[in-house]
Amino acid sequence: DNFALSAPLKSLLREKGIESLFDIQAACLKPLLEGKDLVGRARTGCGKTLAFVLPIVESLSKDVLENNRRAYGRNPSVVVLAPTRELAKQVAADFEHYAKAAKLSTMCLYGGTPYGPQENALRRGLDVVIGTPGRVKDHVERGSLKLNDVRFRVLDECDEMLNMGFVDDVEAILTANVDAERVQTLLFSATLPQWVQEVKRRFLKADHQTVDLVGSDVMKASNSVRHIVLPCHWSQRSQMVIELVKCYGAAGRTIVFTETKRDANDLTVSLAESTGSRALHGDIPQ
């Protein structure tokens, strides 16, 4: 209640059991509502997504047409880039919930899915587009996604886009036809490697704001998480995982992430001899 958020938005926050803003959300709200570009740094799990979802929805809610009917075929006002399909879907889910406060329509674009339904939705008109750089760039090049009217562009986990080889795709999207004076650019990154610094220099206005909750600490994860690194030969991994589960996995409360489905299956067999385990991946009914 201490923040400049509309009643519908506060109501949607309370629906989710949120009664107060996280530090990153509180720090980003005012400069973004004032129209500033922003660089945000925060560790994973600190509520970073709502730090840009809330001010964007609040800003656009003031522009909702009086008759509540949005123009057919309108271009999006928001484009959010995320490095992975999973993060894009997570951001899209948050936008979809809170966008109800401004009657905004959303769409998530990522690879591995047909172009047709996505192009049809874009043709009808959308307010918020969230997607991975490769698929968003494809739609821009095909002419199905036009960025002329974009008011907010967000780069989420920008350093991960660098790590995953999306540099060219991101730059192609950022250099697409937008109103440079009108658009607000938001860049969120746990670390600031040289390419991210260059993106900041080229695409953010000189008076941009910086919200840094990481400082000189290079850790990207929460301080409440303990990290242990155990180098070993690949042939020893299964046995090491079994020992780790025995040591730390009280009552079997353990999640093991593997690179492939086959690795998950093999490890499940190995663990079954010492503790109950199941594989969870795309080829198994869940």
Side-chain angles (χ1 to χ4, degrees):
D1 290 328
N2 296 321
F3 294 93
L5 296 172
S6 61
L9 202 48
K10 288 177 185 174
S11 175
L12 290 167
L13 283 163
R14 290 192 166 106
E15 271 185 32
K16 293 283 190 180
I18 298 173
E19 292 290 341
S20 60
L21 298 186
F22 285 22
D23 290 348
I24 185 70
Q25 297 161 6
C28 291
L29 188 62
K30 187 170 183 287
L32 291 180
L33 289 178
E34 290 175 347
K36 301 287 188 183
D37 287 0
L38 184 135
V39 176
R41 294 185 68 198
R43 294 187 179 92
T44 301
C46 291
K48 169 175 52 66
T49 303
L50 287 192
F52 58 84
V53 170
L54 296 179
I56 288 175
V57 172
E58 183 65 30
S59 296
L60 294 180
S61 67
K62 296 177 172 58
D63 300 335
V64 174
L65 299 178
E66 291 181 5
N67 60 7
N68 293 332
R69 294 188 63 177
R70 313 289 293 186
Y72 184 89
R74 66 194 177 280
N75 295 326
S77 298
V78 183
V79 61
V80 181
L81 300 181
T84 66
R85 173 189 311 194
E86 291 73 21
L87 181 58
K89 290 167 76 172
Q90 175 191 320
V91 173
D94 281 333
F95 255 116
E96 197 163 318
H97 177 73
Y98 294 103
K100 289 183 284 189
K103 300 180 175 62
L104 306 174
S105 58
T106 65
M107 180 81 181
C108 191
L109 306 175
Y110 49 82
T113 53
Y115 281 92
Q118 295 177 354
E119 290 178 332
N120 290 338
L122 290 166
R123 195 177 298 114
R124 288 192 298 270
L126 291 162
D127 301 298
V128 182
V129 168
I130 306 103
T132 51
R135 180 54 65 99
V136 170
K137 188 191 80 163
D138 287 349
H139 278 291
V140 170
E141 291 179 344
R142 292 161 76 107
S144 48
L145 174 59
K146 296 180 176 62
L147 305 180
N148 312 55
D149 300 322
V150 165
R151 286 187 50 196
F152 296 92
R153 54 187 182 185
V154 183
L155 277 64
D156 196 7
E157 296 198 6
C158 198
D159 49 353
E160 289 303 316
M161 293 185 202
L162 169 65
N163 294 338
M164 297 179 69
F166 285 132
V167 169
D168 292 340
D169 293 343
V170 171
E171 293 195 2
I173 296 164
L174 290 175
T175 53
N177 185 25
V178 299
D179 185 341
E181 289 303 313
R182 187 167 180 250
V183 70
Q184 272 181 258
T185 305
L186 289 57
L187 190 159
F188 289 87
S189 187
T191 61
L192 296 175
Q194 185 58 44
W195 176 69
V196 177
Q197 298 272 19
E198 181 65 13
V199 168
K200 180 178 75 169
R201 185 189 66 79
R202 288 174 58 195
F203 298 104
L204 272 67
K205 300 182 184 74
D207 65 345
H208 70 268
Q209 300 286 300
T210 299
V211 174
D212 191 345
L213 301 188
V214 178
S216 59
D217 190 345
V218 296
M219 280 185 61
K220 295 175 64 175
S222 169
N223 283 331
S224 63
V225 178
R226 181 184 181 195
H227 297 81
I228 305 171
V229 179
L230 301 172
C232 70
H233 191 267
W234 67 267
S235 62
Q236 299 173 312
R237 285 184 184 174
S238 292
Q239 188 58 42
M240 184 168 282
V241 171
I242 292 169
E243 296 301 324
L244 286 168
V245 172
K246 284 181 182 177
C247 181
Y248 294 105
R253 295 192 182 98
T254 307
I255 301 175
V256 181
F257 293 95
T258 63
E259 187 172 10
T260 66
K261 290 183 281 192
R262 180 178 177 180
D263 290 341
N265 290 336
D266 292 346
L267 197 53
T268 298
V269 172
S270 300
L271 284 167
E273 299 171 6
S274 57
T275 184
S277 62
R278 292 290 184 273
L280 187 67
H281 56 63
D283 291 340
I284 295 179
Q286 297 162 16

